[in-house]
Amino acid sequence: MDKRPIGIFDSGLGGLSAVRAALKYLPNEDIIYFGDTGRVPYGTRSEKIITQYANEDIAFLEKFGCKLIMAACGTVSSVARDAISKVKEPFVGVVEPAAKAAVKATKNGKIGVMGTSATINSGAFTKTINRINPDIEVSGVSCPLLVPLVENNWIDEDNQIALEMIRRYIKPLMDNGVDTIILGCTHFPHLAPVIARIAGDDVTLIDTGYEAVMQAKTILDENNLSNDKTHQGKAEYYITDETQNFSQIANTLLGTDISDCASFIDLNIFEHGLNE
Ligand code: DGL
């Protein structure tokens, strides 16, 4: 049994798709969520900057003595290999668990990946899928404009702008006949009902946040790191910009009121303060 919290981070609100799954499937675990809302988006930036941000995000979570760190961010998981390789705690990214789930789900051997530009350009999902099964055909599309849609809560199933953007973005995947689409950016599971409307019932959508949480659960169980089964897990949320509506949007995405547990954090002051 291990009482330490698990740390989950993303560039913004996207990683709440992992928190949503963690609240459901890891109910005894305490969670520290870090959303870098002051620097979102990551997915249009260079490897150097994404790696620098990832190092800082991980260092923030490590100060809480987390027993497991999760990059609930497709961009960090795909691009910031150097930062990830230095994590001392058990680490979970989204690429491997989502790739495995997609390989399991596909029937026709054609998988699509929706991600940020950095994620798609890295080819991380394609390489991971083809390592598991070289015969699978993988096609990827960069969907950078879907990130601000989620950050602004434009995610309702009837949102015409979201529907049109998704229709255009996934056309190449549909033309390729994919039967499985990895929502390779953790912002996108929040748009799953809209994506499902365009992709249709025959296409399986893989929720990266959920898959990452399932892998975390396995790691905790197998290494005797789970918390006491009688403990009611709590979550704390830290963001780097006080967007007025963070709590409001987070409440919608999580289906629970988090306003009392969300705080603004200045990474520089936090670092400085703790070192003094
Ligand atoms: N949620 C992130 C991802 O999974 C990043 C979106 C962004 O910051 O561009 O890739």
Side-chain angles (χ1 to χ4, degrees):
M1 191 185 84
D2 192 322
K3 291 186 158 119
R4 291 175 295 159
I6 59 174
I8 302 180
F9 73 97
D10 180 42
S11 58
L13 287 153
L16 295 178
S17 55
V19 174
R20 186 171 57 189
L23 294 175
K24 187 162 177 194
Y25 298 102
L26 297 173
N28 311 117
E29 301 302 334
D30 292 333
I31 296 166
I32 306 289
Y33 181 77
F34 175 76
D36 199 0
T37 51
R39 302 191 291 197
V40 65
Y42 282 12
T44 49
R45 299 182 195 273
S46 65
E47 179 178 337
K48 184 167 173 253
I49 293 294
I50 296 166
T51 302
Q52 179 202 318
Y53 289 176
N55 274 322
E56 292 167 5
D57 304 348
I58 291 164
F60 175 81
L61 290 175
E62 283 179 336
K63 304 270 185 203
F64 290 84
C66 294
K67 61 184 170 187
L68 178 143
I69 304 252
M70 179 188 296
C73 176
T75 305
V76 166
S77 309
S78 301
V79 177
R81 296 271 148 214
D82 192 48
I84 291 170
S85 67
K86 292 189 200 128
V87 180
K88 295 182 277 302
E89 300 75 15
F91 175 85
V92 176
V94 301
V95 176
E96 199 195 288
K100 280 187 183 155
V103 169
K104 214 164 155 193
T106 185
K107 293 191 178 62
N108 69 1
K110 292 183 181 187
I111 296 175
V113 183
M114 296 169 71
T116 63
S117 308
T119 296
I120 298 303
N121 291 340
S122 76
F125 279 100
T126 308
K127 286 179 213 152
T128 309
I129 291 168
N130 286 148
R131 246 197 320 269
I132 305 169
N133 182 344
D135 297 329
I136 290 182
E137 206 182 293
V138 189
S139 35
V141 283
S142 307
C143 315
L145 296 176
L146 299 186
V147 174
L149 276 188
V150 175
E151 293 286 324
N152 288 282
N153 208 15
W154 281 31
I155 58 169
D156 57 290
E157 236 179 290
D158 298 319
N159 187 301
Q160 295 304 313
I161 311 260
L163 282 164
E164 185 51 29
M165 277 161 100
I166 289 163
R167 196 184 324 276
R168 288 189 191 205
Y169 274 140
I170 70 170
K171 185 166 184 309
L173 305 183
M174 303 314 290
D175 289 349
N176 282 351
V178 304
D179 71 352
T180 303
I181 297 179
I182 297 179
L183 307 178
C185 166
T186 51
H187 279 70
F188 302 167
H190 299 302
L191 283 162
V194 197
I195 298 170
R197 254 183 88 170
I198 306 289
D201 293 342
D202 295 340
V203 174
T204 305
L205 301 180
I206 304 294
D207 176 338
T208 29
Y210 166 83
E211 298 302 338
V213 166
M214 289 302 113
Q215 189 175 79
K217 186 170 167 26
T218 306
I219 293 175
L220 295 180
D221 289 346
E222 286 178 355
N223 295 283
N224 208 16
L225 286 172
S226 302
N227 206 341
D228 185 343
K229 295 275 174 277
T230 61
H231 177 75
Q232 173 62 52
K234 313 176 285 308
E236 290 170 25
Y237 302 82
Y238 295 91
I239 49 171
T240 52
D241 191 12
E242 286 176 289
T243 49
Q244 11 152 295
N245 49 6
F246 171 80
S247 298
Q248 197 190 326
I249 300 178
N251 292 349
T252 318
L253 298 179
L254 293 172
T256 175
D257 188 353
I258 64 147
S259 3
D260 288 346
C261 2
S263 320
F264 166 71
I265 185 85
D266 180 329
L267 279 185
N268 297 318
I269 294 173
F270 183 79
E271 181 70 20
H272 186 64
L274 280 184
N275 287 342
E276 269 181 350

